[in-house]
Amino acid sequence: MAEARRGAERGWYLSARRQREEEEEEEEDEDGESAPLLPPLPGSVRNPPNRGSSFGFSVFNLMNAIMGSGILGLSYAMANTGIMGFSILLLIVASLASYSVFLLLSMCTQTAVTSYEDLGLFAFGSAGKVLVATTIIIQNIGAMSSYLLIVKSELPGAVAGFLSGDESGCSNRSWYLDGRLLLLITSVCIVFPLALLPKIGFLGYTSSLSFFFMVYFALVIMIKKWSIPCPLPLSSTTETLQVSNSTGDCKAKFFHLSKESAYAIPTMAFSFLCHTSVLPIYCELRSPSKSRMQNVTVTGIGLSFLIYFMSALFGYLTFYDKVDSELLQGYSKYLPHDILIMTVKVAILFAVLLTVPLIHFPARKAVLMVFFSHLPVSWICHILVTLTLNTIVVLFAVYVPDIKNLFGVVGSTTSTCLLFVYPGLFYLKLSREDFLSPQKIGACALVIFGICVGLLSLVLIIFNWINQ
């Protein structure tokens, strides 16, 4: 029965592909824009043009999928690669991320499927589908855990900062200063209800808020560059600050290489991964077409690159080699009661909290596709899977000690696979172009780059752990 079902499933995809090939000559509409990427499914009705997410909301949703906890680790990456080294690597990763999305959209045009998992099925059968879905589940759990780890570490300090000195110091055991308890409350009251929404397009309003929170974060980091002295104070807990006499700590490095540089590319790959959300966002885009979705992608990745670079640069120029793996921790040490820093903490906390539900969508879809594809769609299954994912993510956030470990491991494994390796492999397998065509050469280079960078980074990270 399973073989018959898989055969029927692949048969429909082949039929849809043949139908698409016959319509290739008619893909250009009167305005010169590509026709909608996919034909409607059998028995379905195409949404009217006024339905679906607008271009702006789709960009906000994509940027919300891109931007999250990664913004807090990029200054650390710059400190360990240098300004020029970081700039080159960040530009390469952003460009390759946009190119791999282009490959995904091209394959959707050829195969008439609209999910990352189904591309794996079409390319490599059931094993490919399960592999892609499992990778998505692991990566999204790691991403959501890193976001909630920020909530656990920063929310108690934000709460204490808004209290008077006597109240915040009277008892460190107060429930409202317990990071784990606050994490549980926010997960139950904010993350879980938003993750239960049936369509990803409903999060357009929250995604736009998250975007403005990230912009505010970048602006405050730029402003506060001149509020913290350099050389940095050695201690901010005593009445008299002890200041280092080493002015060498205040010189920016253009290129730098150390054992911590192994975390740089994985952190960048983690920061730009949006591929699990691209196709769901496309499916709900108003007047969907390949060119329109590519414009959404280029706009979202371009704006994210700008915000990432500016916040990383000014965060690095504030702390230089003393920057923490989680940027806000440095401001908590040296400006513990600064009003702007307290507000930016609240802003970044809201931003990551509003990002977690968006990541729930592809993770839940992958779980349903792998484990419950034989069951009819129901609200009970929807709720149970969402609750299970939320529980796993909260547990990881509670027990993982350092955010750079999440960035390093998840970024060098699942993120590089989803960002570089899988899109290139699928294109090489599915495209009918000649192997020496520019697109196939680019796809081959993408695969080689992803495998080499991922393995090298993972080996160096494990080596660092062993030698700590």
Side-chain angles (χ1 to χ4, degrees):
M1 291 295 293
E3 289 295 330
R5 191 182 75 245
R6 285 195 295 268
E9 197 173 28
R10 286 179 61 83
W12 182 86
Y13 290 140
L14 289 170
S15 176
R17 178 172 179 172
R18 284 194 298 270
Q19 177 185 353
R20 185 60 184 168
E21 289 173 0
E22 293 172 359
E23 296 175 355
E24 279 182 346
E25 296 180 357
E26 302 176 359
E27 279 192 341
E28 296 297 321
D29 61 14
E30 295 178 357
D31 297 325
E33 183 180 305
S34 297
L37 198 61
L38 300 172
L41 295 176
S44 66
V45 178
R46 183 181 297 278
N47 286 335
N50 59 339
R51 299 286 181 86
S53 300
S54 67
F55 182 90
F57 273 172
S58 297
V59 170
F60 284 136
N61 272 336
L62 186 66
M63 291 187 66
N64 200 18
I66 296 171
M67 302 185 67
S69 56
I71 197 172
L72 300 178
L74 289 176
S75 292
Y76 184 77
M78 181 177 283
N80 290 288
T81 54
I83 295 177
M84 291 301 299
F86 175 88
S87 303
I88 294 170
L89 289 176
L90 191 70
L91 184 60
I92 290 173
V93 172
S95 301
L96 291 179
S98 181
Y99 179 67
S100 60
V101 170
F102 169 77
L103 294 183
L104 285 178
L105 295 176
S106 298
M107 286 181 287
C108 285
T109 303
Q110 295 182 24
T111 60
V113 298
T114 56
S115 76
Y116 211 144
E117 298 89 341
D118 283 336
L119 284 174
L121 173 67
F122 201 85
F124 298 105
S126 298
K129 178 178 179 179
V130 172
L131 178 63
V132 172
T134 303
T135 307
I136 288 173
I137 294 169
I138 296 172
Q139 197 281 330
N140 287 355
I141 287 176
M144 291 186 287
S145 299
S146 71
Y147 298 158
L148 294 185
L149 183 60
I150 294 171
V151 175
K152 183 189 75 173
S153 61
E154 295 296 338
L155 188 53
V159 172
F162 284 104
L163 299 175
S164 65
D166 293 336
E167 289 182 55
S168 61
C170 65
S171 175
N172 289 328
R173 297 180 180 178
S174 300
W175 67 268
Y176 48 80
L177 297 179
D178 185 337
R180 294 182 177 183
L181 183 57
L182 292 177
L183 170 62
L184 183 61
I185 292 172
T186 53
S187 296
V188 172
C189 298
I190 299 176
V191 175
F192 184 65
L194 288 176
L196 283 175
L197 291 173
K199 290 185 178 182
I200 200 170
F202 291 158
L203 293 174
Y205 294 100
T206 60
S207 297
S208 60
L209 284 175
S210 179
F211 166 72
F212 288 115
F213 287 148
M214 288 294 183
V215 172
Y216 179 64
F217 169 83
L219 290 175
V220 171
I221 297 302
M222 294 166 65
I223 292 170
K224 287 301 174 182
K225 160 70 179 77
W226 291 273
S227 298
I228 296 178
C230 192
L232 293 169
L234 296 179
S235 172
S236 59
T237 57
T238 57
E239 291 184 4
T240 303
L241 295 179
Q242 297 175 313
V243 181
S244 169
N245 292 323
S246 176
T247 56
D249 293 338
C250 302
K251 292 182 179 179
K253 298 174 181 177
F254 288 95
F255 291 97
H256 180 62
L257 187 65
S258 70
K259 64 179 183 178
E260 298 297 314
S261 301
Y263 292 93
I265 291 184
T267 301
M268 295 176 191
F270 186 96
S271 301
F272 275 104
L273 184 65
C274 58
H275 296 52
T276 57
S277 298
V278 164
L279 298 183
I281 290 172
Y282 161 72
C283 289
E284 297 187 12
L285 178 65
R286 187 181 302 164
S287 302
S289 69
K290 178 182 173 181
S291 61
R292 186 171 170 83
M293 189 62 210
Q294 189 65 38
N295 289 336
V296 169
T297 302
V298 172
T299 303
I301 291 179
L303 291 175
S304 299
F305 174 88
L306 180 62
I307 296 172
Y308 275 160
F309 180 78
M310 296 307 295
S311 58
L313 176 64
F314 282 87
Y316 170 62
L317 293 178
T318 301
F319 300 104
Y320 296 93
D321 291 339
K322 301 296 188 296
V323 67
D324 287 287
S325 59
E326 198 267 80
L327 181 59
L328 284 177
Q329 292 179 358
Y331 295 96
S332 300
K333 292 177 186 176
Y334 300 107
L335 298 173
H337 299 291
D338 185 272
I339 297 298
L340 268 181
I341 295 299
M342 287 190 287
T343 57
V344 84
K345 280 185 179 181
V346 173
I348 205 72
L349 287 170
F350 271 112
V352 298
L353 276 175
L354 295 176
T355 301
V356 173
L358 190 70
I359 310 271
H360 259 284
F361 278 80
R364 181 176 58 233
K365 180 182 177 183
V367 171
L368 292 172
M369 192 170 285
V370 172
F371 299 105
F372 303 103
S373 59
H374 60 288
L375 297 177
V377 178
S378 68
W379 268 105
I380 294 176
C381 191
H382 180 91
I383 293 171
L384 289 178
V385 172
T386 304
L387 180 61
T388 302
L389 283 173
N390 206 44
T391 302
I392 294 172
V393 167
V394 169
L395 290 175
F396 270 108
V398 166
Y399 292 107
V400 171
D402 193 339
I403 198 170
K404 79 174 182 181
N405 294 328
L406 271 174
F407 288 158
V409 174
V410 176
S412 61
T413 54
T414 57
S415 294
T416 53
C417 285
L418 294 170
L419 189 64
F420 306 125
V421 180
Y422 292 169
L425 278 179
F426 295 166
Y427 195 84
L428 290 174
K429 176 71 174 179
L430 298 175
S431 177
R432 293 160 293 159
E433 297 175 2
D434 185 77
F435 187 76
L436 295 179
S437 66
Q439 296 298 349
K440 277 209 169 181
I441 292 175
C444 188
L446 201 64
V447 173
I448 295 172
F449 178 84
I451 293 175
C452 293
V453 167
L455 286 177
L456 179 61
S457 299
L458 184 61
V459 168
L460 291 175
I461 289 168
I462 294 174
F463 183 77
N464 285 344
W465 290 351
I466 294 173
N467 290 277
Q468 281 181 351

